[in-house]
């Protein structure tokens, strides 16, 4: 028989548990509320002057390392992790940002707000003439992450590799079969720990890894719009698939790199757990301004950086690996004398190697402005209820969208197995934060989102674009942001915009299905001010609409592309070594020779794994190569 004392303790225990639970929920609640408030008011920098050293600084020695990695972002973090597995190698990582505090950034649901934080660079394009026209000053926001983990600290955690054809095409461009899908699949699998809990949706396990450090969750979404999207596709004859298998076309439930519903940034997974390695040193708040290259031998030797007001020089004995992302990598190269000869000379930078750095910036044109009114309401749970779910690893806060589905399509496409369009739909009630994130002007925002109604929005993404822009230096001052000219939808034959137009037609078809009809959809957008001269909803109108509402997908790639011919724009060879320079490799989104029909962080992981593997093979070879 239970004694009175026992009952008493049990009671105390239960009350205590409930109390602890409540205070935990409160703690998360204020974390979120403060995060939202901070994001609203956060002023992103328009330059990098915060890193400028005090005047007349002498250059301090920072020591000598086998490898110096510039940028601990998505690719850089993997490379740091893998190279430091070799105890004999000393590895220095220089990262401009901080380690993640794993605070507000942990919630995938709030990802657009994470671009308004210390983990974000604040880049934007120069004024545009072919897209991003519905924004303040006609500029595209170019959000890029800053900190150990890089852009994986602020992105949408979607795990989408792209189509095998994309990589087979890379292999062709690089004239190196090691980049073919067949050969890189092992690198995708190596980082992944696939958690397949949604058995309703087909998955092809032979294409997934289960021993990697990065958790990829494929959950059972609890929000009914996920099924609506999938059913609407089925009505149009479009089946359900695992978009990370070679059969990418179709609709799918999202695969997200989260652990128990929390963001898993690449730094927290691949760097932080290994900081006890004696041979690995990660220096944060370290802003690289230049790579020192010997002019005669054309060999990269040193890295100059500023840290807390001081200037330092680190020496690389074996190699320097530049992984500062598609915007900063070309900037650092050009500041170091590698880039288009004439433009470097014009800025007063003595050129060392004439290469078309920054000559081919590509991104996924994205429009989120197809908005429909609906009689469905946002879930009525309170924030506290959402947090209780989150603490169980489920619910609204664990995914970037409420509706956890997307589709890949090949529209009007000569290549009919690889997608050229991606569509994601969600229930939204846009806020000032979304306006700030995209940079909308008042009138564009009002024409679409100003109605304060629940609405179902469709984002259309051109995942096989042809247009490209450029990245140039503004000046020789390393503390200025570079000039980014996105030039989305600027291809001569208007193929990119036509693909987007085909996607609009598909969205309207989807909204006509029984699945969506039940939600009483009605197109909500009003004619845009700057497109009023055109007949509403005609092809001409939609083209005008697309130039106003298409923004970048925040997927910049290709600014130092891999290839064989420097004359034709290649900056690195298939081994990712900078053409004509010794001991310098690039490994991040800059080297993509073409965009992939996926979300680029996953390809960045693969690039990091591959280059680390090859560096190991090269330097650890038992017999020298003849
Ligand atoms: C809002 C948003 C949503 C996105 N959603 C997704 C998604 O859902 N799924 C997906 O796969 N991709 C997504 N992406 C894109 C993806 O995250 C990036 O393409 C990818 O992470 C880029 O990796 P990287 O290694 O090339 O560069 P990064 O991860 O950006 O790393 C570069 C690192 O270098 C550092 N650095 C830069 N300059 C210097 C310097 N001078 N000195 C020292 N360090 C420097 C940076 O601080 C950064 O840490 C999204 C991006 C954004 C902005
Ligand atoms: C590491 O160094 C030790 C001692 O110098 C040497 O015996 C060993 O072969 C080295 N290992 C590698 C992998 O280079
Ligand atoms: C890093 O964090 C410190 C302490 O919070 C802060 O003062 C500093 O500004 C941060 N640095 C960067 C580059 O964000
Ligand atoms: C799609 O095909 C039609 C008819 O063949 C053509 O008029 C249109 O330009 C094509 N669109 C795209 C995006 O290629
Ligand atoms: C929404 O409208 C449709 C069509 O009028 C109706 O069938 C459905 O029940 C409504 N749903 C809600 C939640 O009101």
């Amino acid at each position: 028989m239970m004694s009175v004392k026992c009952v008493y303790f049990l009671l105390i225990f239960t009350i205590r548990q409930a109390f602890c639970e409540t205070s935990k929920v409160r703690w998360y609640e204020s974390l979120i509320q403060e995060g939202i408030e901070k994001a609203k008011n956060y002023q992103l920098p328009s330059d990098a002057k915060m890193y400028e050293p005090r005047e007349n600084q002498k250059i301090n020695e920072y020591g000598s390392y086998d490898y110096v990695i510039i940028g601990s972002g998505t690719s850089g973090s993997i490379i740091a992790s893998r190279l430091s597995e070799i105890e004999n190698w000393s590895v220095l990582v220089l990262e401009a940002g901080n380690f993640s505090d794993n605070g507000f950034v942990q919630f995938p649901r709030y990802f657009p707000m994470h671009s308004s934080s210390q983990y974000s660079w604040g880049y934007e394009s120069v004024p545009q003439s072919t897209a991003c026209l519905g924004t303040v000053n006609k500029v595209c926001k170019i959000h890029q992450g800053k900190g150990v983990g890089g852009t994986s600290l602020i992105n949408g955690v979607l795990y989408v590799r792209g189509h095998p054809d994309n990589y087979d095409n890379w292999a062709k461009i690089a004239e190196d079969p090691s980049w073919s899908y067949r050969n890189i699949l092992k690198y995708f699998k190596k980082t992944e720990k696939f958690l397949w809990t949604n058995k309703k949706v087909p998955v092809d396990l032979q294409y997934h890894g289960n021993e990697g450090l990065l958790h990829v969750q494929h959950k059972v979404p609890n929000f009914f719009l996920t099924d609506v999207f999938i059913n609407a596709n089925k009505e149009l004859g479009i089946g359900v698939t695992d978009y990370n298998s070679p059969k990418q076309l179709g609709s799918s439930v999202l695969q997200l790199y989260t652990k128990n519903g929390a963001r898993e940034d690449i730094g927290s997974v691949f760097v932080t757990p290994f900081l006890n390695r004696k041979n690995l040193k990660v220096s944060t708040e370290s802003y690289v301004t230049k790579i020192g290259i010997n002019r005669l031998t054309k060999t990269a030797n040193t890295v100059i950086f500023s840290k807390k007001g001081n200037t330092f020089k680190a020496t690389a004995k074996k190699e320097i690996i530049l992984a500062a992302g598609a915007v900063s990598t070309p900037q650092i190269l050009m500041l170091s004398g590698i880039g288009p000869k004439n433009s470097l000379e014009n800025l007063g930078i003595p050129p060392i190697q004439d290469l078309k750095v920054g000559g081919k910036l590509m991104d996924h044109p994205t429009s989120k402005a197809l908005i429909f009114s609906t009689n469905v309401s946002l879930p009525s749970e309170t924030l506290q209820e959402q947090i209780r779910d989150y603490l169980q690893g489920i619910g609204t806060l664990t995914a970037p969208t409420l509706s956890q589905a997307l589709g890949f399509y090949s529209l009007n496409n000569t290549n009919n197995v690889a997608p050229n369009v991606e569509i994601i739909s969600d229930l939204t009630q846009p806020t000032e934060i979304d306006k700030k994130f995209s940079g909308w002007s008042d009138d564009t925002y009002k024409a679409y989102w100003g109605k304060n109604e629940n609405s179902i929005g469709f984002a259309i993404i051109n995942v096989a674009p042809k247009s490209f822009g450029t990245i140039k230096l503004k000046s020789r001052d390393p503390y200025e942001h570079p000039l980014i000219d996105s030039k989305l939808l600027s291809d001569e034959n208007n193929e990119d915009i036509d693909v987007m137009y085909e996607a609009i037609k598909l969205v309207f078809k989807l909204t006509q299905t029984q699945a969506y009809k039940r939600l009483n959809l009605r197109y909500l957008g009003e004619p845009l001010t700057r497109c009023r001269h055109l007949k509403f909803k005609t092809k001409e109108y939609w083209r005008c609409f697309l130039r106003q509402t298409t923004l970048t997908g925040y997927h910049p790639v290709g600014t130092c592309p891999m290839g064989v011919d420097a004359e034709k724009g290649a900056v690195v060879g298939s081994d990712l070594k900078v053409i004509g320079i010794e001991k310098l490799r690039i490994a991040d989104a800059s080297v993509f020779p073409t965009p992939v029909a996926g979300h680029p962080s996953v390809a960045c992981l693969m690039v990091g794994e591959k280059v680390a593997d090859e560096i190991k093979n090269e330097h650890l070879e038992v017999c020298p190569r003849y």
Side-chain angles (χ1 to χ4, degrees):
M1 206 179 87
M2 238 200 281
S3 69
V4 175
K5 208 169 166 187
C6 207
V7 170
Y8 173 78
F9 278 116
L10 200 69
L11 194 66
I12 293 291
F13 181 77
T14 317
I15 292 171
R16 222 194 70 177
Q17 283 296 93
F19 179 79
C20 289
E21 172 77 11
T22 308
S23 65
K24 197 170 178 187
V25 171
R26 289 236 175 85
W27 187 84
Y28 275 94
E29 195 180 19
S30 63
L31 178 68
I32 290 172
Q33 283 162 347
E34 277 166 31
I36 294 175
E37 223 29 59
K38 260 196 195 158
K40 273 188 196 152
N41 301 317
Y42 195 84
Q43 285 286 335
L44 286 166
S46 55
D47 55 39
K49 303 269 181 201
M50 68 179 287
Y51 293 106
E52 224 165 18
R54 290 183 292 271
E55 264 167 63
N56 298 327
Q57 269 290 310
K58 70 168 193 339
I59 298 184
N60 304 286
E61 284 295 336
Y62 205 77
S64 198
Y65 303 81
D66 289 317
Y67 294 94
V68 179
I69 300 169
I70 302 171
S72 192
T74 309
S75 298
S77 293
I78 292 263
I79 300 166
S81 197
R82 296 301 180 208
L83 294 187
S84 62
E85 284 170 356
I86 309 292
E87 282 172 35
N88 288 21
W89 286 351
S90 55
V91 177
L92 172 66
V93 187
L94 298 170
E95 168 54 52
N98 280 314
F99 281 99
S100 171
D101 62 7
N102 288 309
F104 186 51
V105 285
Q106 72 186 279
F107 304 102
R109 182 69 184 133
Y110 296 112
F111 86 92
M113 302 189 197
H114 303 151
S115 286
S116 258
S117 74
Q118 66 148 316
Y119 302 114
S120 185
W121 282 93
Y123 298 124
E124 54 187 36
S125 75
V126 298
Q128 296 292 293
S129 60
T130 51
C132 298
L133 302 182
T135 62
V136 178
N137 299 331
K138 302 186 177 166
V139 301
C140 314
K141 300 275 178 197
I142 314 283
H143 300 301
Q144 288 279 287
K146 183 202 280 191
V148 177
T151 305
S152 74
L153 290 164
I154 63 167
N155 72 9
V157 297
L158 262 66
Y159 186 88
V160 192
R161 296 168 180 172
H163 193 271
D165 276 14
N166 299 145
Y167 300 102
D168 290 343
N169 191 33
W170 286 17
K172 240 184 252 162
I173 293 169
E175 295 183 8
D176 181 348
S178 75
W179 286 98
S180 68
Y181 180 73
R182 234 184 108 234
N183 288 320
I184 59 165
L185 181 59
K186 61 175 182 282
Y187 297 119
F188 280 127
K189 288 166 81 169
K190 190 171 177 187
T191 49
E192 184 189 24
K193 187 176 184 63
F194 187 65
L195 303 172
W196 183 28
T197 39
N198 190 358
K199 307 274 171 177
K200 279 199 311 196
V201 176
V203 156
D204 201 338
L205 283 179
Q206 63 173 310
Y207 297 101
H208 289 276
N210 51 22
E211 282 164 17
L213 293 178
L214 187 69
H215 294 82
V216 175
Q217 292 194 281
H218 190 240
K219 293 185 298 184
V220 186
N222 63 349
F223 195 58
F224 74 100
L225 276 184
T226 311
D227 290 332
V228 172
F229 183 82
I230 286 173
N231 291 336
N233 274 279
K234 277 189 190 156
E235 281 183 50
L236 298 183
I238 300 162
V240 186
T241 190
D242 172 0
Y243 58 62
N244 283 320
S245 76
K247 209 183 142 294
Q248 198 186 349
L249 297 178
S251 72
S252 305
V253 171
L254 303 185
Q255 298 178 24
L256 302 172
Y257 48 101
T258 52
K259 186 179 182 187
N260 301 326
R263 175 194 296 282
E264 270 206 317
D265 74 79
I266 305 307
S268 298
V269 174
F270 286 95
V271 174
T272 315
F274 304 107
L275 288 172
N276 58 354
R277 287 180 186 161
K278 286 194 198 76
N279 60 333
L280 174 65
K281 179 161 182 170
V282 180
S283 177
T284 53
E285 298 187 77
S286 301
Y287 181 79
V288 171
T289 55
K290 192 179 170 173
I291 297 166
I293 300 164
N294 182 312
R295 275 174 189 285
L296 295 174
T297 60
K298 292 208 178 185
T299 304
N301 295 314
T302 57
V303 181
I304 312 291
F305 62 99
S306 72
K307 178 172 182 166
K308 297 181 177 163
N310 300 307
T311 305
F312 295 95
K313 180 173 89 182
T315 302
K317 286 182 279 191
K318 289 194 163 76
E319 280 193 53
I320 294 165
I321 296 141
L322 183 49
V327 174
S328 308
T329 283
Q331 182 189 20
I332 294 168
L333 275 185
M334 290 188 275
L335 289 167
S336 312
I338 300 174
K341 187 162 172 281
N342 290 339
S343 56
L344 293 186
E345 276 169 349
N346 289 342
L347 294 169
I349 299 169
I352 295 174
Q353 182 75 2
D354 185 11
L355 290 172
K356 295 192 169 70
V357 172
K360 201 166 184 198
L361 165 67
M362 290 176 285
D363 204 319
H364 289 145
T366 302
S367 171
K368 295 185 184 165
L370 290 161
I371 302 286
F372 296 79
S373 68
T374 177
N375 59 359
V376 171
S377 313
L378 287 167
S380 58
E381 322 128 13
T382 62
L383 181 56
Q384 293 206 354
E385 284 163 343
Q386 292 176 13
I387 291 166
R388 288 210 165 84
D389 278 352
Y390 178 76
L391 295 172
Q392 314 284 322
I394 58 170
T396 329
L397 299 179
T398 65
T401 47
L402 286 171
S403 161
Q404 296 184 33
L406 57 68
F408 280 103
Y409 311 89
S410 176
L411 303 181
N412 226 12
N413 199 357
T414 45
N415 176 347
N416 54 15
V417 291
N420 56 359
V421 165
E422 176 182 346
I423 296 178
I424 307 182
S425 168
D426 201 17
L427 182 64
T428 52
Q429 196 177 46
T431 61
E432 287 295 310
I433 290 274
D434 299 296
K435 187 181 173 201
K436 182 177 176 187
F437 177 71
S438 299
W440 296 122
S441 63
D442 287 335
D443 60 329
T444 319
Y445 185 72
K446 276 204 198 95
Y448 283 87
W449 297 282
K451 301 204 173 60
N452 248 342
E453 269 182 51
N454 285 327
S455 51
I456 290 187
F458 289 81
I460 53 176
I461 309 170
N462 182 338
V463 291
K466 301 208 158 64
S467 310
F468 58 89
T470 57
I471 291 188
K472 293 178 178 155
L473 292 180
K474 193 181 285 173
S475 75
R476 56 187 290 190
D477 179 356
Y479 303 99
E480 292 277 12
H481 282 175
L483 297 173
I484 308 170
D485 191 1
S486 301
K487 287 196 166 134
L488 300 169
L489 309 181
S490 66
D491 60 310
E492 244 183 316
N493 300 326
N494 283 320
E495 286 176 57
D496 286 355
I497 200 167
D498 280 349
V499 167
M500 304 282 283
Y501 172 66
E502 295 296 324
I504 291 180
K505 290 200 289 190
L506 176 56
V507 164
F508 276 90
K509 270 193 213 153
L510 285 167
T511 63
Q512 301 301 313
T513 58
Q514 287 307 317
Y516 274 112
K517 269 198 180 144
R518 276 187 216 117
L519 315 182
N520 219 3
L521 298 198
R522 187 171 43 81
Y523 183 62
L524 199 57
E526 286 170 5
L528 290 171
T529 318
R530 289 184 215 96
C531 303
R532 285 230 175 101
H533 57 294
L534 299 164
K535 188 155 180 262
F536 196 35
K537 295 193 189 172
T538 56
K539 182 169 183 187
E540 285 62 42
Y541 175 81
W542 286 124
R543 277 201 178 181
C544 176
F545 163 95
L546 283 167
R547 297 213 183 274
Q548 296 290 322
T549 63
T550 298
L551 308 177
T552 86
Y554 314 110
H555 297 167
V557 303
T559 50
C560 301
M562 167 166 73
V564 285
D565 189 349
E567 290 283 307
K568 289 191 184 142
V571 172
V572 295
S574 72
D575 51 7
L576 305 189
K577 290 179 181 164
V578 174
I579 293 172
I581 302 289
E582 298 294 318
K583 287 173 50 178
L584 179 59
R585 276 190 234 232
I586 301 178
D588 59 23
S590 326
V591 302
F592 294 18
T594 62
V596 296
H599 291 239
S601 74
V602 193
C604 289
L605 300 177
M606 177 275 288
V607 166
E609 284 288 9
K610 185 171 188 290
V611 83
D613 206 28
E614 283 166 6
I615 290 172
K616 283 181 182 174
N617 288 338
E618 217 170 283
H619 289 275
L620 296 176
E621 249 167 28
V622 187
C623 306
R625 249 199 275 212
Y626 295 106

